[in-house]
Structure formats: C-alpha cells, structure tokens
Amino acid sequence: MKKVGILGGTFNPPHIGHLIMANEAYDALQLDEVRFMPNAIAPHKQMIEDASMENRLRMVEIAIEPYEHFKMETIELEMGGISYTYQTMVELCRREPDVQFYFIIGGDMIDSLHTWHNIDELVQIVKFVGLKRPGTKSTTSYDITMVEGPELNLSSTLIRKRLKNGGTLKFLLPEGVQEYIREEGLYGAR
C-alpha cells in the first residue's frame, strides 16, 4: 500500500513550521508523499478573511514547489463548506482504496482530538501522527504515533502580526510566499 501523509490546515499563511512538520513525518514514517490540504472553512478556527481561498492555495503551492515529496490536496476546497476531517477522509479513502493515510497534527490538535467530529470512526480509517508543540501537553487517549522533531513556537497568527507591523520574517516564511503576500497586499503587509 502507498503511504500518504496529510497535513491539513488553514495555511493562512503557510510557514516554515508546516514544512518542518510535514518533512519530519515524511522521514520518520518513510511516507511516499505528504499532501498539504487547505481547508475551506475550519470547524475549530475563526477564519481571517485577509486571504481568499485562492490566495491560500497559491501560497501553499509556492511553499511546497521546491520539494518533490510534497503535493497539494484540494479535496476540502472542492467539497466547500465546513471541513470536517472525518467526511474528507472517508471520501479520500473511497477515491484511493490502495492508500494508507497518515493524518499529521501538532500538539494543540493532539490535545483537542477528543472534540473532533466523529473521532471514534476517524481513528478507524486513518493513522494519526503527532508532533509536539511548545505550550501543549500533546497527549490524548487515542492511538497516535508520535514523531520526534523540532518544537517550534510558530503560528500563522504570529506571521500575520509581523506582516502587519513590519517585523522580520526571515527564516519563518518561505521567501516566495513572503513575496506573494507583499505583491497581493495580504494581511496589511508593510
């Protein structure tokens, strides 16, 4: 069976932490590829409207372009509406029955896994992969494969604040993504 990692999120914007998480899981579990899956509307986050769905998609494309083992997964954008991981993964498993999916999450999502829509059914169809994040317990009663990797206290919220305030983004945001944000005038970038 093909082994495919899925890293979902708003990617508003995608940053170096997302790339590191995906690569750590890819390497540790010897995955065939990792797909970045931007969601349409996240059930657990208030969406910042500074970047359209198309903007977020393009930023992910720019961020992953240099890496052969990173791909784009647009199923949640195609489905539209609130993106529940369970519904998405049921559909992906139907479309690709010969693939074992590994759903990659950070410590904050590990801590709240018990609140996910249809989580008991979801853990039956995907394998969860977790990476710790500073400030989280990164614990759950659900079966999850923990991967050791750098613990970065980096978030899209911090990136948006820095863009708005003119702070440095060197080494935090892929250069192409930073250029795109400035060209498009996203997040009040200065």
Side-chain angles (χ1 to χ4, degrees):
M1 279 187 103
K2 188 173 180 181
K3 295 166 61 175
V4 174
I6 299 285
L7 180 63
T10 55
F11 301 113
N12 194 18
H15 53 71
I16 203 75
H18 297 125
L19 298 174
I20 291 170
M21 278 181 66
N23 196 64
E24 292 294 324
Y26 170 81
D27 184 65
L29 301 173
Q30 299 180 325
L31 302 176
D32 293 298
E33 65 186 41
V34 175
R35 297 181 195 167
F36 285 64
M37 184 174 70
N39 48 36
I41 301 170
H44 59 279
K45 284 187 178 178
Q46 182 109 27
M47 196 60 182
I48 305 298
E49 294 300 327
D50 286 347
S52 70
M53 192 181 310
E54 292 78 17
N55 291 142
R56 293 186 296 120
L57 186 63
R58 183 65 189 125
M59 287 187 285
V60 172
E61 287 172 344
I62 292 167
I64 68 174
E65 184 179 22
Y67 311 101
E68 271 182 25
H69 57 288
F70 290 166
K71 310 288 182 206
M72 178 74 76
E73 177 57 66
T74 60
I75 187 172
E76 289 193 339
L77 300 179
E78 294 162 20
M79 292 169 59
I82 294 178
S83 300
Y84 289 107
T85 303
Y86 173 72
Q87 293 163 334
T88 301
M89 296 314 300
V90 164
E91 180 58 20
L92 272 180
C93 289
R94 185 192 66 74
R95 290 183 188 182
E96 300 178 63
D98 295 332
V99 171
Q100 173 61 65
F101 289 102
Y102 293 77
F103 204 86
I104 304 163
I105 59 176
D108 49 340
M109 293 292 108
I110 296 169
D111 290 345
S112 66
L113 203 54
H114 65 282
T115 67
W116 285 31
H117 180 70
N118 288 356
I119 186 59
D120 293 326
E121 293 83 1
L122 180 58
V123 296
Q124 301 301 313
I125 61 173
V126 301
K127 294 183 184 289
F128 274 94
V129 179
L131 285 95
K132 292 181 180 178
R133 278 186 75 180
T136 66
K137 293 179 184 171
S138 300
T139 59
T140 182
S141 59
Y142 290 97
D143 187 26
I144 188 167
T145 301
M146 293 301 293
V147 169
E148 289 295 320
E151 292 184 36
L152 298 175
N153 191 12
L154 181 59
S155 68
S156 295
T157 302
L158 171 72
I159 299 292
R160 289 191 304 269
K161 284 180 185 173
R162 290 239 178 135
L163 281 161
K164 191 172 184 177
N165 298 326
T168 183
L169 295 169
K170 195 170 192 78
F171 307 118
L172 301 180
L173 201 60
E175 284 184 32
V177 173
Q178 189 171 329
E179 288 170 18
Y180 178 82
I181 288 170
R182 293 193 190 290
E183 286 169 9
E184 296 294 315
L186 302 176
Y187 312 115
R190 300 192 306 154

